[in-house]
Amino acid sequence: LPAKFDWRDKKVVTPVRNQLSCGGCWAFSIVGGIETVYALKGHPLLELSVQQVIDCSPRDYGCNGGSTVSALSWLNEIKVKLVQDSEYPFKAETGTCHHFPNSSFGVSIKGYEAHDFSAQEEEMAQKLMDSGPLAVIVDAVSWQDYQGGIIQHHCSSSEANHAVLITGFDRTGDVPYWIVKNSWGTTWGLDGYVHIKMGANICGIADSVAAVFL
Amino acid sequence: FFFKSYNRTYRQGSEEFHKRYKLFQESLRRHHFLSSSSNATNTATYGINQFSDLSSEEFRTIYLRALPVHVPKYSKPYKSSRKRL
């Protein structure tokens, strides 16, 4: 593994979004991953519709919550084409699912994998480099007050409640850390990102890890 | 400063204003606790942000809505000895 790796350096990560008072973190994390993998395939970096996932994923609850894995399973089974964010913009509330003609532009996934990488964060870092950003579920209770630095304490590895996207890692300092993109706007944390210590499953970051293929 | 920075429009003296002010004070106590880790390598800082006038329960109810799922343990893909060679 290199000492430092961040998909942002390759200009394939879209800007941090703000989910406002919608509990749609699960949709933001997977859409963020799909956007990057689509760009890695040589396409332009596009913002895809989070609202489409919030409104249409049938086994989830829109702004009242959902699961990254069940949403990815739906996207994969139906081969749903995710349209651009500008076509189906974020409204911060659950709405009626809009359908688009088959001929219209959209990005569909070819597959996904979801694994528990606890005690295997080196392998998880390799997966990040091989497959693209990783959608993970963490305990984010203490993140309410986070401003910066590397989180090492005050969260649990058994109470996952918030979905985010890992875009990279940094092992150059005393404390190696994951670079994590959140969906609470750029005024939160480190321009919308948070750093989590690597190697100890802090906040349960390695318990439920999903990668997409396009 | 907080009201200005985060565009809050609670009417001064209102019940809502008092409730939010109390929650803001609670958040200051929480920041103090979270920042008081004795670990020398701890670099995380906690302080005022857009969530400082929310109770912990409100924060959980609004923002922490991901449903956890049990996924299989990762195992490295098997490579035959011929491939490894």
Side-chain angles (χ1 to χ4, degrees), chain A residues 19-21 23 25 61 64-67 69 114-118 120 123 127 137 140-142 144-154 160-163 175 184 187-188 207-208, chain B residues 6 27 30-31 33-37 39 41-57 59-60 62-76:
Chain A
Q19 64 182 82
L20 302 172
S21 54
C25 57
Y61 305 96
N64 291 323
S67 145
V69 175
H115 285 109
D116 171 355
F117 278 90
S118 49
Q120 298 180 89
E123 288 83 354
K127 175 65 71 183
I137 312 179
V141 168
S142 67
Q144 176 174 2
D145 304 297
Y146 176 75
Q147 281 189 325
I150 305 166
I151 293 185
Q152 305 181 52
H153 309 283
H154 304 304
N161 46 43
H162 182 51
V175 181
W184 294 343
T187 57
W188 179 87
D207 284 337
S208 176
Chain B
Y6 297 102
S27 82
R30 214 168 48 227
H31 305 159
F33 165 74
L34 291 168
S35 302
S36 62
S37 171
N39 187 333
T41 61
N42 182 42
T43 59
T45 56
Y46 300 89
I48 296 166
N49 64 20
Q50 73 261 45
F51 304 129
S52 296
D53 60 345
L54 294 181
S55 70
S56 303
E57 291 71 31
F59 178 73
R60 274 171 198 250
I62 300 169
Y63 295 100
L64 307 183
R65 302 305 296 254
L67 304 172
V69 279
H70 185 74
V71 292
K73 190 92 183 140
Y74 177 76
S75 56
K76 275 186 190 170

